[in-house]
């Protein structure tokens, strides 16, 4: 799937060169803690856009991505993103309904979007 979005300031201006770090489980819900596959980072472009081409993680808990977001010189925001309509969302003790991706199915696979606002 493609995972993408914007990093914006509180004034809704794009934040360029913000760090977006992503890590998540494989299709079986397992993290690779030796080879560190399915981990990586990007920096937002001049329009504040970021994106990753990755896979849909399996559900050890409920399906989720882990992310760190940091604007240049700013604090690190550590958070998670979830999938809409997952049966395990309601059973997950730290699921947060404000952190659900907007997921569309395209001819190129799933496209999940989330925009971050950072101080
Ligand atoms: Fe996790």
């Amino acid at each position: 799937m493609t995972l993408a979005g914007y990093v914006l300031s509180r004034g809704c201006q794009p934040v360029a060169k913000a760090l977006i770090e992503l890590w998540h489980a494989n299709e079986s819900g397992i993290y690779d803690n030796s080879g560190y596959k399915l981990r990586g980072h990007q920096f937002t472009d001049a329009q504040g856009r970021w994106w990753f081409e990755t896979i849909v993680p399996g559900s050890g808990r409920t399906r989720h991505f882990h992310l760190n977001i940091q604007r240049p010189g700013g604090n690190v925001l550590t958070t998670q993103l979830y999938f809409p309509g997952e049966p395990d969302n309601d059973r997950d003790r730290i699921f947060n309904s404000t952190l659900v991706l907007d997921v569309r199915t395209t001819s190129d696979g799933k496209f999940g979007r989330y925009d971050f606002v950072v101080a």
Side-chain angles (χ1 to χ4, degrees), residues 38-56:
L38 302 173
R39 295 175 185 233
H41 70 273
Q42 302 276 346
F43 292 92
T44 53
D45 67 10
Q47 285 99 57
R49 299 177 299 186
W50 59 273
W51 63 93
F52 293 93
E53 301 294 331
T54 188
I55 63 163
V56 176

Side-chain angles (χ1 to χ4, degrees), residues 5-44:
Y6 285 86
V7 175
L8 302 167
S9 69
R10 282 184 177 168
C12 256
Q13 297 303 305
V15 176
K17 296 179 180 164
L19 171 68
I20 307 282
E21 189 175 7
L22 173 72
W23 67 101
H24 61 86
N26 68 12
E27 61 277 8
S28 302
I30 306 295
Y31 289 88
D32 180 359
N33 291 321
S34 53
Y36 302 107
K37 288 186 178 129
L38 302 173
R39 295 175 185 233
H41 70 273
Q42 302 276 346
F43 292 92
T44 53

Side-chain angles (χ1 to χ4, degrees), residues 4 29 39 55 69 75 93 97 102 116:
R39 295 175 185 233
I55 63 163
I69 299 97
N75 294 324
R93 75 188 160 80
S97 62
D102 178 13
F116 293 102

Side-chain angles (χ1 to χ4, degrees), residues 23-25 31 61-62 64-66 80:
W23 67 101
H24 61 86
Y31 289 88
R61 285 171 35 214
T62 192
H64 61 280
F65 292 109
H66 292 269
Q80 301 185 24

Side-chain angles (χ1 to χ4, degrees), residues 38-114:
L38 302 173
R39 295 175 185 233
H41 70 273
Q42 302 276 346
F43 292 92
T44 53
D45 67 10
Q47 285 99 57
R49 299 177 299 186
W50 59 273
W51 63 93
F52 293 93
E53 301 294 331
T54 188
I55 63 163
V56 176
S59 55
R61 285 171 35 214
T62 192
R63 287 179 214 281
H64 61 280
F65 292 109
H66 292 269
L67 298 105
N68 283 334
I69 299 97
Q70 183 181 31
R71 70 180 303 161
N75 294 324
V76 178
L77 168 66
T78 299
T79 190
Q80 301 185 24
L81 294 176
Y82 300 95
F83 287 77
E86 283 289 317
D88 288 337
N89 282 349
D90 291 339
R91 289 191 285 271
D92 190 84
R93 75 188 160 80
I94 59 171
F95 170 75
N96 183 325
S97 62
T98 68
L99 296 171
V100 174
L101 287 156
D102 178 13
V103 179
R104 313 276 166 97
T105 301
T106 74
S107 59
D108 204 24
K110 288 186 188 302
F111 184 93
R113 178 172 170 180
Y114 197 90

